[in-house]
Amino acid sequence: MEFEPAELKESILSLIRLQEIDALLFQLREKEREPAPDFLAAEKKLNEAQRDLKLAEKSEREIERERRSLELRHITLQEDVKKAEVKRREVRNTKEDFSAGRELENFQKKLIEVKKMLEEKTLATEERSKLTAEKKAAVEECQKLFQEHQDQRQKELAESSNETARLMKEREGYISKVNESIFSMYERVQKLRRGSGVAIVRDSICHGCFVEIPPQTRGNLKKLNQLITCSSCSRILFPESELPEALETERLLRGVGS
Ligand SMILES: [Zn+2]
């Protein structure tokens, strides 16, 4: 496809401006997609704290269940002791007295054992519930921090969305100056290349991908009458010598947005 050199030049120079905007738009989209590392770190910390709390609560429930079952055994044994005492008072002979005495002693011994176990378990339960309270406080702290990060991210997303709208509007202004078929070629490439669809050629090198341009292509490039793309990265090529003085060439060569 043949072009008027002036039209081609104007189109590509507009694209060079346009790709600065597109690189910014690309960065904004990246930022929107991927939350900042400290946001992710806060989220991870919260998840871990919540998991720790769940484990602590589970273990607290288990130990409380054990304590309650000891408590029941303790009550039962207290009743057994009382019954054994009554039984002993009602004995009719020495043999019965001996046997009732043994039974009572047995229950009393067990009662002492269970009482001790119950006391220990009660202490352990208190320890456990203290631990759960600590874990709960940690979760609340993490939630607070994460909420701050979320608010910050919401704010950033809103700003980003405003900035995107502003850039999209600015973009329209440049698009209107670009030949339609050149623009559609540019669009295809910039979408694949992080918002960069045009590359400057300096010293026979494409500064999009740093591959050397063949002599034949170099010759055609100078004529400015056809759209020439890099055979390696597909970017639209433009010779450095045709850039207006005012353009910050060094920045363009480094890559827009970097
Ligand atoms: Zn290239």
Side-chain angles (χ1 to χ4, degrees):
M1 195 173 172
E2 289 269 328
F3 290 97
E4 277 294 315
E7 189 198 5
L8 187 72
K9 193 172 164 179
E10 200 207 333
S11 285
I12 296 181
L13 286 175
S14 291
L15 288 180
I16 287 172
R17 288 305 190 194
L18 188 62
Q19 82 173 351
E20 292 199 42
I21 296 172
D22 286 337
L24 290 174
L25 283 168
F26 177 83
Q27 285 168 5
L28 287 173
R29 276 197 299 273
E30 287 277 282
K31 234 173 111 184
E32 283 169 17
R33 219 183 354 244
E34 187 65 29
D38 55 349
F39 176 93
L40 294 172
E43 191 180 37
K44 191 170 165 235
K45 235 177 131 184
L46 174 60
N47 287 338
E48 281 167 1
Q50 282 170 331
R51 200 192 49 211
D52 283 355
L53 174 61
K54 259 186 203 145
L55 287 175
E57 282 171 342
K58 190 176 167 227
S59 125
E60 192 190 346
R61 276 196 303 273
E62 274 164 16
I63 206 164
E64 173 60 16
R65 214 172 14 242
E66 288 164 10
R67 194 195 64 80
R68 266 206 299 266
S69 113
L70 277 173
E71 204 172 44
L72 279 178
R73 261 183 82 193
H74 187 250
I75 292 169
T76 312
L77 279 168
Q78 278 177 323
E79 284 164 5
D80 288 342
V81 167
K82 264 183 218 157
K83 274 185 221 155
E85 280 167 352
V86 170
K87 201 172 161 189
R88 199 177 178 194
R89 279 199 295 274
E90 289 167 354
V91 293
R92 285 165 303 181
N93 53 47
T94 324
K95 199 181 158 203
E96 275 184 10
D97 181 54
F98 179 73
S99 147
R102 285 277 299 276
E103 200 183 31
L104 177 60
E105 229 173 78
N106 230 331
F107 282 133
Q108 280 169 334
K109 227 169 99 187
K110 268 192 203 155
L111 181 63
I112 289 167
E113 268 171 38
V114 169
K115 192 172 176 244
K116 193 165 168 263
M117 280 162 73
L118 178 61
E119 279 164 2
E120 280 167 5
K121 197 57 88 176
T122 304
L123 271 179
T125 310
E126 280 161 12
E127 284 296 312
R128 224 35 92 89
S129 74
K130 222 190 283 172
L131 192 72
T132 307
E134 279 168 22
K135 299 284 179 197
K136 208 171 192 168
V139 165
E140 277 160 16
E141 182 63 22
C142 287
Q143 263 164 344
K144 213 179 110 200
L145 266 172
F146 183 57
Q147 187 59 50
E148 282 168 19
H149 281 287
Q150 262 182 325
D151 293 346
Q152 178 64 22
R153 180 157 165 77
Q154 282 308 318
K155 212 178 116 201
E156 280 169 9
L157 283 177
E159 281 166 8
S160 172
S161 156
N162 286 341
E163 180 66 356
T164 298
R166 190 187 68 74
L167 288 170
M168 287 305 281
K169 215 171 150 190
E170 201 179 322
R171 195 173 191 267
E172 291 306 314
Y174 287 111
I175 293 172
S176 62
K177 292 177 193 153
V178 183
N179 171 289
E180 219 171 283
S181 66
I182 297 177
F183 177 68
S184 71
M185 167 67 82
Y186 166 83
E187 274 290 81
R188 274 202 301 277
V189 183
Q190 71 92 355
K191 277 178 184 155
L192 296 172
R193 305 251 174 237
R194 308 167 69 91
S196 154
V198 180
I200 305 300
V201 176
R202 172 193 268 183
D203 302 331
S204 312
I205 302 285
C206 162
H207 272 71
C209 66
F210 298 96
V211 161
E212 195 174 352
I213 309 296
Q216 167 80 29
T217 312
R218 261 162 17 220
N220 291 336
L221 195 59
K222 280 197 187 116
K223 291 185 209 150
L224 279 180
N225 63 357
Q226 52 179 305
L227 193 68
I228 293 175
T229 56
C230 173
S231 59
S232 164
C233 69
S234 306
R235 287 183 179 89
I236 294 169
L237 295 176
F238 193 72
E240 186 192 12
S241 55
E242 294 295 330
L243 285 174
E245 291 280 326
L247 224 54
E248 296 162 65
T249 316
E250 290 310 318
R251 196 162 63 87
L252 286 174
L253 287 171
R254 273 204 313 275
V256 179
S258 60

